[in-house]
Amino acid sequence: MSIEIIIALYQEDYLTDKEVIDWADDKILKEEEPFDYLYMLSLKGPRHCLSLPSTDFPIAKQLTYSERFALRATKLNLESEEDCDHFREWVASASLGEDLSLPEVMFGYHIDEDFYCTDNHSGGLKYFKEEMPNLIDKTKNLAEALWSKIA
């Protein structure tokens, strides 16, 4: 059900309260997924619904590291030094313990090592600028698939 995905996107700060409520209103008007959950979301908002036990409201979809990476990467402004710094900080910690066979995980380990374990900041920055556009292209479909499930 798309409610679990919309709540996950809300929890990851990709959607505002208003956007979630508007989404629920739209689904109600189209009579898509005519469940009580949509009415609760519309009338009480996502913050309230998240405070309810799982017996009363669906739990957010647990996003995988790859999904979270794809969502963040496709929203990343590569021209913004601040955005890139925040992304590097996130990827360096979020990738730890994930499946090393995934390119986005190895990227995170490389960033972690270059920026936080050594003094090779210039080499790490060069690596980030070279690899990030490729990873954005490779993961774009995953992010688009998530967004399409709530359209």
Side-chain angles (χ1 to χ4, degrees):
M1 184 166 28
S2 54
I3 286 179
E4 288 92 345
I5 296 171
I6 198 116
I7 293 300
L9 293 171
Y10 172 78
Q11 284 182 319
E12 292 282 329
D13 290 327
Y14 290 106
L15 298 169
T16 64
D17 287 34
K18 182 179 179 343
E19 290 169 325
V20 173
I21 291 168
D22 289 348
W23 174 86
D25 290 344
D26 183 57
K27 294 292 183 188
I28 290 167
L29 291 174
K30 291 179 179 177
E31 295 185 30
E32 295 177 18
E33 300 183 43
F35 298 105
D36 291 340
Y37 302 136
L38 289 173
Y39 297 106
M40 287 170 57
L41 204 48
S42 175
L43 296 173
K44 300 286 187 176
R47 188 169 297 139
H48 170 78
C49 292
L50 282 169
S51 70
L52 298 172
S54 63
T55 55
D56 294 341
F57 195 81
I59 296 173
K61 176 189 184 317
Q62 187 70 29
L63 298 175
T64 65
Y65 171 78
S66 294
E67 290 169 331
R68 292 171 51 223
F69 182 95
L71 288 165
R72 288 174 187 266
T74 55
K75 298 290 184 192
L76 179 63
N77 177 0
L78 289 172
E79 301 300 317
S80 167
E81 189 174 326
E82 183 179 350
D83 281 2
C84 290
D85 286 345
H86 287 300
F87 187 86
R88 281 193 302 271
E89 288 173 20
W90 175 81
V91 78
S93 63
S95 63
L96 300 178
E98 296 293 335
D99 182 357
L100 293 173
S101 68
L102 298 171
E104 58 270 27
V105 173
M106 287 305 297
F107 176 78
Y109 271 77
H110 194 91
I111 295 299
D112 180 56
E113 185 174 321
D114 285 348
F115 276 91
Y116 303 104
C117 298
T118 69
D119 292 328
N120 188 19
H121 298 302
S122 60
L125 192 55
K126 181 178 183 242
Y127 175 79
F128 178 84
K129 289 180 178 180
E130 288 173 356
E131 292 299 317
M132 200 58 218
N134 297 331
L135 286 170
I136 290 171
D137 286 341
K138 287 179 183 176
T139 61
K140 180 174 42 176
N141 290 341
L142 185 54
E144 289 171 354
L146 282 169
W147 287 109
S148 72
K149 290 180 182 177
I150 63 165

